[in-house]
Amino acid sequence: MHALPSLSPALQFDPELLLRAQDVRVAFFDVDGVLTDGSLYFTEAGETLKRFHTLDGHGIKLLQQAGITPAVVTGRDAPALRLRLKALGVAHARFGTEDKRPAAEAILAELGLGWTQAAAMGDDWPDLPVMRRAAFACAPAQAHIEARAVAHYTTAAPGGSGAAREFCDLLLAASGRYAGLLAAHTG
C-alpha cells in the first residue's frame, strides 16, 4: 500500500486579518443569525426549535483543540440551544441577556483575558458592543449592514450554514494551528 501525499491547506486568508486575530484566546458567538439561520420555530406548546449546522459545530470543537475558548452570549434561551452547547462542550455561555457587553466582560474576567484576546461574531445591533471591543470581529453574510460595517471579516456563508465555521477556520489559521489540525484529520 502506498502512502498518501501530505495535504496542504486549500484555505487562504488575507495576512492582515491573520495578524489581527493571532492573539485571540476566546471567541464569542451570538446564536440567532450566527449559529442558526435566524429563524425562530415555535411548537404549539411554545418551545423554541433551532437548526444548527454540523460544520459550525466541528469548527467550535476545533477551536477548543487549538486552545481557543468558545463562548456564547445570546439574547434568547431555549432547551435546544443548551443541549447543543452541552454536546459541543461549550462551558461559557450567557443566555437571555439583552446587554451583551457586561456578559462578555464577565466571561473575560472568568478566563483572565482582555478584549485584545477576544474575537466576536454577531449579526445585529445587540452584538455591536461586543464586536466593537473585540480585537477581531466577524459577521455572517446575511448580517445587518451595521454589523457588517463593524466586522473585520464578513463570511461568504450565511449564519446557520457554515458561517461560524469560516470564523473558526480563520481563527485557527491565525493561531498557526489550522494546518496541523487538518493533517491530524487526514492521516
Side-chain angles (χ1 to χ4, degrees), residues 23 38 42 47 76-77 90 104 117 128:
D23 294 328
F42 294 95
E47 182 179 5
R76 301 183 63 82
D77 194 358
V90 175
Q117 297 165 298
L128 295 177

Side-chain angles (χ1 to χ4, degrees), residues 98-102 104-105 115 120 124-134 150:
E98 292 301 319
D99 192 356
K100 294 184 177 187
R101 183 190 50 77
E105 287 174 343
W115 285 113
D124 207 347
W125 290 12
D127 305 312
L128 295 177
V130 176
M131 292 174 70
R132 291 186 63 217
R133 285 168 177 78
V150 167

Side-chain angles (χ1 to χ4, degrees), residues 11 13 59 62-63 164-174 178:
L11 192 60
F13 290 103
L62 290 171
L63 284 183
R165 176 60 178 272
E166 285 184 51
F167 175 54
C168 293
D169 286 345
L170 191 150
L171 296 178
L172 293 169
Y178 185 90

Side-chain angles (χ1 to χ4, degrees), residues 81-173:
L81 170 60
R82 287 181 182 256
L83 185 64
R84 180 64 174 150
L85 295 180
K86 183 178 178 183
L88 293 174
V90 175
H92 299 278
R94 298 295 187 276
F95 306 96
T97 179
E98 292 301 319
D99 192 356
K100 294 184 177 187
R101 183 190 50 77
E105 287 174 343
I107 292 171
L108 287 171
E110 287 173 17
L111 297 171
L113 299 173
W115 285 113
T116 60
Q117 297 165 298
M121 186 172 196
D123 73 316
D124 207 347
W125 290 12
D127 305 312
L128 295 177
V130 176
M131 292 174 70
R132 291 186 63 217
R133 285 168 177 78
F136 185 79
C138 183
Q142 89 299 344
H144 189 277
I145 191 169
E146 301 302 341
R148 292 192 320 261
V150 167
H152 300 105
Y153 180 73
T154 299
T155 64
S161 295
R165 176 60 178 272
E166 285 184 51
F167 175 54
C168 293
D169 286 345
L170 191 150
L171 296 178
L172 293 169

